[in-house]
Amino acid sequence: MEYRVAQLEALGRFLDEKKQDILEATAADMGKPPFEAEFSEILLCKNELHETLNNLSTWMKDEHVDRNLVTQLDSAFIRKDPYGVVLIIGPWNYPIHLILVPLIGAIAAGNCVIVKPSEMTKNSERLVAEVLPTYLDNDCFAVVTAGVQETTGLLENKFDYIFFTGNPTVGRIMMTAAAKHLTPVTLELGGKNPCYVSDTCDVQNVARRVAWGRFFNAGQTCIAPDYVLCSVEMQEKLLPALSKAIAEFYGPNPQESPDFGRIVGDKHFQRVQKLLGSGRVAIGGQTDEKERYIAPTVLADVLPSDSIMQEEIFGPVLPIVTVANVDEAIALINSHEQPLAVYAFSSDDKVVNQVLERTSSGGFCGNDTLMHVTLTSLPFGGMGTSGLGMYHGKFTFDTFTHHRGCLHRSMGREALNTLRYPPYSQHKLGIVRAASEVKRKGACTLL
Amino acid sequence: MSLHAELVSCLRAAWLSGKTRPMEYRMAQLEALGRFLGEKHQDILEATAADMGKPPFEVELSEISICRSELNHTLNNLSTWMKDEHVEKNWATQLDSAFIRKDPYGVVLIIGPWNYPINLLLVPLIGAIAAGNCVVMKPSEISRNVEKLVAEMLPRYLDQECFAVVTAGVQETTRLLENKFDYIFFTGSPSVGRIVMTAAAKHLTPVTLELGGKNPCYVSDTCDVQNVARRVAWGRFFNAGQTCVAPDYVLCSVEMQEKLLPALREAITEFYGPNPRESPDFARIVGDRQFQRVQALLGSGRVAIGGETDAEARYIAPTVLVDVQQEDPVMQEEIFGPILPILTVASMDDAIAFMNARERPLALYVFSSCKKVVSRVLECTSSGGFCANDTIMHMTLMSLPFGGIGQSGIGHYHGRSSFETFSHRRSALLRGAGREALNTLRYPPYSPSRLPLLRAATEHRRTSCTLL
């Protein structure tokens, strides 16, 4: 345990000592506002680190389990074993956080780790590749840099666990490569996270919470609300409210605000820009290719068949699709792939619960966006094409741990065992069954 | 079109209707499974006897009683398992509701093997139903009589809108796997496990793979030899060795081997009499192909006990081989038959090194009266599960997760673990529509002075130091 704690504490020092470098690298890579970088890349990682350091000794302990009559005098427990050599592949949108948080769990669980940061965020990649190894034991932890081809080559190696964050298409490639070695995987992918807004709500609060979730990191967040579903009447109220929230946040010209990010690269910029053709631009819509700036934008009267509804947006564009009622909203949500998050806004708890109950997703948040993933006690992961497995807090430790069932019996007490040995008899069977079979509770006995 | 596409799509429609969600529905299906075990008891004994000469006692214990225990344990606890799990909150979410909801996956595929054809199909099924899923089951085509029993009888007990049994050989199973399932649970060999996971990857379907390997059995010099011999022989020869957690080979010192051989001989005679062929308590190999495969392994080393075979009856005697080398055929594959090779090692450390040089097994066994020996082997090795001073017994305890690592598998189940395997743990945070003032800390325009407040708000309460 001491070894793991030492490595984790070194990670903490990396976050503290290299804070300025992290802020500069993420600003250079995608114009991340320092506040956003400090909150999402550093602060949230430190929360995870503290949670882990505070609890590691408890998590590592053998868990003793209930025994039956036959094993009553034995020692039965779950041993937490590391997997071995783990591969963590990070994405570009939160290039520090989405490498470090899995890394914290992998180290805590006792594994050796190879980290592959994203090649899309060149400055963060260089920071991780050059500086992170100076904090960790290079015998057990390494950073490799690789583009698409080289990553395919890297995957030919046998790893004992693979943790991947990225898009579903590459997720499939990861899992197929893992299958060759029967390597277990966690895939944190994405999808279109729906955001249902009912007619009974505080429109201005909703507008702020949705705008915050959508435009944070210029929309490049896997759990950002991807599209809004609401009635025609609510759309009419939401539009001015969203306009007001955006002005409150970024001023009259968001391009001049220090608090609004940029798109990570030209390819993504062009991809998102094309989506502006769906529906009608109600707010924003301005773009600047040189800066890879896309204004905080709201599209109204979008149809489910429009191109913006066919892919995860991953940009600062919020389409509104109108529906007649909550049932239609739920049907539309269920006609898409299961998303990473489902959001529902309503002052009426019943409505929120209906959406929760009748949909399926990685996670869920009522009356806010993004916040559920800031709680380290909640598991974070997808379902269907949005992912496989989960992490955060203890769940990260558990992800990278093999739960080994152990039974330690006595060398003696053989008399009890003879009941199970041949030669078999009906008589022995009766006793063994009585001793080992679990009865239905509430079964009527005349004792 | 993929095989059974229409069936899968019907089950998906039933799933979307929400039929399998209520607890009462799930309990009713599970109770019906219980009636299947009760009413078809005799049919199960006869089918398993016809398929592989399984002694009724073994079927009662390893197929029926185990299922009944899992069923009762699940029925006794389902309402607790289904409950939302409320979690610790941070300062920012203190007034909110934060919990983990156990959601079903949807339409689940369970593929069963032939060696415990009832147990290894029904125990996963219990978990899948308990977790609220719809299920397609594919029993093994190799245990023909049980396949027929399950395909014809089991559907009558369950809601056929939500549960179906399909029969399929190798080709058809490949086509069945082209369908999109929301979870796939497979028990079988590692090579087929790879095929299943590769097919699952196309749809990003999560999997549990219960595979196999060579389970080593280290016998130290400090032990009660006769007890060891009985426990090892029992584990090896139960079901004629066709058990994924059977001890596959023994590692011990030369001196221990000299003591073990007569002890094993005595145990085998105690169990099966002087001619095991005539014992009603010893099973047969499931098919001709498997018989020939196992028979070929008899050429490794030297037969110290047993070695007799009868191709017509698919009988292979309880056999112990000595003078076995690492390179011998019997050490190159999972034996899955009533043959126990003994390999000698110089020391415990040599035994550990030997085990670690090979693929990680489903089970690892150590026999020693010395606690330190047991602890050291446990610490220095890696395996699905572990049992000291006995064989197989760890998998009969439902509170222990049962699964492999590396080539021996992915995921685990049994007891509550089965329910959790087939459940998606969905995080849920329900916030208030008001209390907006607290949220303004995080909104732009940003100000660095707010960051310490944000940190205090999102940390877990007990870790924050306050001077209040």
Side-chain angles (χ1 to χ4, degrees):
Chain A
M1 184 176 89
E2 295 69 30
Y3 175 84
R4 305 179 197 188
V5 168
Q7 299 302 306
L8 291 171
E9 283 171 346
L11 264 187
R13 286 195 302 278
F14 167 78
L15 284 170
D16 287 334
E17 291 167 17
K18 297 299 157 190
K19 175 171 136 170
Q20 198 48 39
D21 301 73
I22 291 173
L23 297 183
E24 287 169 11
T26 51
D29 281 330
M30 46 207 285
K32 242 192 236 249
F35 185 98
E36 288 187 0
E38 200 162 340
F39 179 59
S40 64
E41 302 269 30
I42 298 175
L43 195 154
L44 289 179
C45 286
K46 292 193 82 177
N47 281 354
E48 291 276 349
L49 202 54
H50 294 152
E51 176 77 1
T52 303
L53 284 165
N54 286 338
N55 293 285
L56 186 56
S57 66
T58 306
W59 295 350
M60 279 178 70
K61 281 194 171 69
D62 289 339
E63 260 176 61
H64 287 264
V65 300
D66 286 341
R67 291 162 296 184
N68 55 21
L69 200 54
V70 175
T71 48
Q72 201 48 228
L73 300 173
D74 304 322
S75 179
F77 56 94
I78 300 170
R79 167 67 51 103
K80 317 300 178 64
D81 274 353
Y83 274 102
V85 179
V86 154
L87 172 65
I88 295 174
I89 299 181
W92 52 260
N93 58 336
Y94 293 88
I96 303 296
H97 177 133
L98 295 175
I99 286 269
L100 250 52
V101 176
L103 179 60
I104 288 166
I107 293 176
N111 300 281
C112 288
V113 191
I114 293 187
V115 166
K116 195 214 87 68
S118 172
E119 71 282 11
M120 296 265 314
T121 34
K122 285 256 158 276
N123 297 282
S124 306
E125 184 197 37
R126 193 181 317 121
L127 178 65
V128 170
E130 289 174 9
V131 182
L132 186 59
T134 63
Y135 285 81
L136 300 172
D137 177 355
N138 291 349
D139 275 353
C140 300
F141 307 103
V143 180
V144 306
T145 54
V148 174
Q149 299 288 36
E150 298 145 306
T151 304
T152 309
L154 176 65
L155 283 168
E156 283 167 17
N157 290 289
K158 175 178 159 153
F159 292 98
D160 302 307
Y161 204 99
I162 295 176
F163 188 105
F164 169 78
T165 306
N167 70 52
T169 310
V170 183
R172 279 185 189 86
I173 295 171
M174 292 287 144
M175 190 168 170
T176 305
K180 291 191 177 58
H181 296 290
L182 289 168
T183 298
V185 298
T186 290
L187 307 172
E188 294 277 332
L189 310 175
K192 293 183 74 60
N193 305 316
C195 183
Y196 173 65
V197 181
S198 88
D199 287 338
T200 44
C201 66
D202 178 327
V203 187
Q204 198 54 56
N205 287 354
V206 173
R208 270 191 292 256
R209 298 173 195 193
V210 172
W212 176 71
R214 171 76 284 184
F215 302 122
F216 193 96
N217 202 29
Q220 296 158 115
T221 307
C222 52
I223 36 156
D226 188 275
Y227 63 99
V228 165
L229 293 170
C230 64
S231 65
V232 174
E233 296 76 35
M234 179 47 61
Q235 183 183 244
E236 291 321 301
K237 297 183 193 161
L238 256 183
L239 286 172
L242 282 165
S243 198
K244 180 156 174 237
I246 290 169
E248 255 177 49
F249 289 174
Y250 310 112
N253 183 7
Q255 193 169 8
E256 288 166 11
S257 165
D259 297 335
F260 184 67
R262 296 292 182 265
I263 306 300
V264 71
D266 296 325
K267 196 161 59 86
H268 279 280
F269 173 86
Q270 282 147 22
R271 182 188 63 77
V272 180
Q273 188 181 44
K274 271 210 206 73
L275 302 177
L276 293 170
S278 299
R280 73 177 159 86
V281 174
I283 304 169
Q286 301 88 355
T287 67
D288 180 339
E289 189 153 1
K290 212 173 103 202
E291 273 190 40
R292 291 196 297 274
Y293 166 81
I294 296 180
T297 298
V298 179
L299 304 176
D301 301 332
V302 176
L303 299 170
S305 51
D306 285 336
S307 50
I308 199 170
M309 289 301 289
Q310 310 314 317
E311 60 183 88
E312 185 174 0
I313 296 165
F314 230 65
V317 183
L318 182 70
I320 302 182
V321 176
T322 53
V323 286
N325 50 43
V326 70
D327 290 324
E328 215 181 279
I330 289 172
L332 210 153
I333 293 172
N334 288 340
S335 70
H336 278 103
E337 295 289 357
Q338 292 155 324
L340 200 42
V342 165
Y343 297 111
F345 284 83
S346 181
S347 316
D348 184 348
D349 284 345
K350 278 207 225 64
V351 173
V352 171
N353 275 297
Q354 252 202 74
V355 179
L356 171 60
E357 253 155 59
R358 291 164 58 192
T359 60
S360 193
S361 63
F364 180 92
C365 189
N367 293 324
D368 212 334
T369 58
L370 312 190
M371 290 301 284
H372 59 297
V373 311
T374 66
L375 251 187
T376 55
S377 49
L378 284 177
F380 174 62
M383 208 178 166
T385 49
S386 57
L388 207 154
M390 57 191 171
Y391 71 124
H392 281 187
K394 178 169 194 261
F395 300 104
T396 322
F397 174 85
D398 284 339
T399 285
F400 289 106
T401 295
H402 169 64
H403 289 76
R404 189 180 190 190
C406 300
L407 183 65
H408 187 167
R409 311 207 75 198
S410 155
M411 180 59 73
R413 297 201 285 270
E414 183 68 346
L416 301 170
N417 293 337
T418 53
L419 286 171
R420 75 193 199 211
Y421 297 148
Y424 299 136
S425 79
Q426 229 11 67
H427 171 72
K428 277 190 192 175
L429 180 62
I431 303 176
V432 176
R433 282 189 57 193
S436 57
E437 205 172 278
V438 173
K439 313 274 177 295
R440 180 93 167 83
K441 275 197 201 123
C444 194
T445 54
L446 288 172
L447 290 166
Chain B
M1 179 142 111
S2 33
L3 186 67
H4 295 298
E6 223 179 276
L7 171 69
V8 176
S9 133
C10 285
L11 255 56
R12 184 150 282 118
W15 151 249
L16 286 169
S17 77
K19 207 173 177 197
T20 55
R21 301 275 195 149
M23 186 175 87
E24 296 69 28
Y25 176 88
R26 305 180 198 186
M27 305 267 290
Q29 298 302 305
L30 290 172
E31 278 164 357
L33 256 190
R35 285 195 302 277
F36 167 79
L37 284 174
E39 291 167 21
K40 297 299 159 195
H41 185 156
Q42 194 50 36
D43 302 72
I44 292 172
L45 294 182
E46 286 168 12
T48 50
D51 279 333
M52 43 208 285
K54 260 196 220 243
F57 183 100
E58 289 187 1
V59 181
E60 293 272 11
L61 264 197
S62 66
E63 300 262 40
I64 299 176
S65 185
I66 279 191
C67 286
R68 207 175 276 296
S69 288
E70 289 274 353
L71 205 53
N72 289 340
H73 182 67
T74 301
L75 285 164
N76 289 341
N77 292 284
L78 187 56
S79 68
T80 305
W81 296 349
M82 278 177 72
K83 283 195 169 68
D84 290 338
E85 263 175 58
H86 286 263
V87 300
E88 258 184 49
K89 293 175 285 193
N90 54 27
W91 189 91
T93 50
Q94 205 45 228
L95 300 173
D96 304 321
S97 182
F99 56 92
I100 300 170
R101 165 79 41 111
K102 321 302 174 62
D103 273 355
Y105 275 101
V107 180
V108 154
L109 171 66
I110 296 174
I111 300 180
W114 52 259
N115 58 335
Y116 292 88
I118 298 291
N119 174 337
L120 299 177
L121 194 66
L122 255 52
V123 173
L125 177 64
I126 288 166
I129 294 177
N133 299 281
C134 289
V135 190
V136 176
M137 285 158 267
K138 196 215 84 68
S140 171
E141 71 282 12
I142 292 180
S143 35
R144 286 231 157 282
N145 293 282
V146 171
E147 185 198 34
K148 187 152 170 282
L149 175 66
V150 169
E152 288 175 12
M153 295 292 143
L154 188 56
R156 298 187 197 177
Y157 287 80
L158 301 173
D159 177 356
Q160 295 188 45
E161 268 185 35
C162 300
F163 307 102
V165 179
V166 306
T167 54
V170 174
Q171 300 288 32
E172 297 147 309
T173 303
T174 308
R175 291 180 54 217
L176 175 65
L177 283 167
E178 286 167 15
N179 288 291
K180 175 180 161 149
F181 291 99
D182 303 306
Y183 204 98
I184 297 177
F185 188 105
F186 169 79
T187 307
S189 74
S191 50
V192 183
R194 278 186 191 84
I195 295 171
V196 172
M197 189 169 171
T198 304
K202 292 190 176 59
H203 296 290
L204 290 167
T205 298
V207 299
T208 290
L209 307 174
E210 295 276 333
L211 311 176
K214 292 181 75 59
N215 306 316
C217 183
Y218 171 61
V219 181
S220 85
D221 287 337
T222 44
C223 66
D224 178 328
V225 187
Q226 198 54 54
N227 287 356
V228 172
R230 269 190 291 258
R231 297 172 196 193
V232 172
W234 175 74
R236 170 76 285 183
F237 302 123
F238 192 95
N239 202 29
Q242 296 158 113
T243 307
C244 52
V245 287
D248 189 275
Y249 63 96
V250 164
L251 292 171
C252 65
S253 65
V254 175
E255 298 75 34
M256 180 47 59
Q257 183 183 256
E258 291 320 302
K259 297 182 194 162
L260 255 184
L261 284 172
L264 282 165
R265 200 171 280 115
E266 197 189 319
I268 291 169
T269 310
E270 255 179 53
F271 291 174
Y272 309 112
N275 184 6
R277 180 111 190 261
E278 290 166 10
S279 165
D281 299 335
F282 185 67
R284 298 293 182 264
I285 305 303
V286 72
D288 295 324
R289 194 165 52 88
Q290 290 81 3
F291 173 85
Q292 281 147 26
R293 181 191 65 76
V294 179
Q295 186 182 45
L297 302 176
L298 290 169
S300 301
R302 158 177 81 78
V303 173
I305 304 171
E308 300 91 7
T309 69
D310 178 340
E312 210 196 293
R314 291 196 296 274
Y315 166 81
I316 295 179
T319 298
V320 178
L321 303 176
V322 295
D323 302 336
V324 174
Q325 304 304 319
Q326 280 193 58
E327 309 74 39
D328 286 336
V330 80
M331 288 305 289
Q332 306 314 315
E333 57 183 270
E334 185 175 0
I335 295 166
F336 230 66
I339 299 175
L340 184 71
I342 302 181
L343 285 86
T344 52
V345 286
S347 64
M348 173 179 67
D349 287 334
D350 278 3
I352 289 172
F354 188 98
M355 294 187 266
N356 286 342
R358 318 182 93 73
E359 295 291 355
R360 290 181 288 189
L362 192 48
L364 200 142
Y365 299 111
V366 182
F367 284 83
S368 180
S369 312
C370 177
K371 280 203 175 99
K372 279 213 207 67
V373 169
V374 171
S375 289
R376 191 162 157 80
V377 177
L378 174 59
E379 293 257 341
C380 299
T381 60
S382 183
S383 63
F386 177 92
C387 187
N389 298 326
D390 212 333
T391 57
I392 304 185
M393 291 302 285
H394 64 295
M395 82 165 281
T396 68
L397 198 52
M398 284 184 305
S399 49
L400 285 177
F402 175 64
I405 187 177
Q407 303 288 290
S408 56
I410 293 179
H412 44 73
Y413 74 124
H414 280 188
R416 186 177 189 158
S417 257
S418 304
F419 173 85
E420 291 182 351
T421 284
F422 289 104
S423 296
H424 168 66
R425 300 172 84 173
R426 190 180 188 193
S427 58
L429 179 66
L430 305 184
R431 311 208 74 197
R435 299 198 289 273
E436 184 67 347
L438 301 172
N439 292 337
T440 52
L441 273 181
R442 74 195 200 210
Y443 295 149
Y446 298 133
S447 107
S449 61
R450 293 196 206 145
L451 277 165
L453 281 168
L454 261 184
R455 179 169 75 234
T458 53
E459 276 179 339
H460 272 246
R461 291 192 89 206
R462 62 191 152 83
T463 66
S464 51
C465 186
T466 54
L467 288 169
L468 293 165

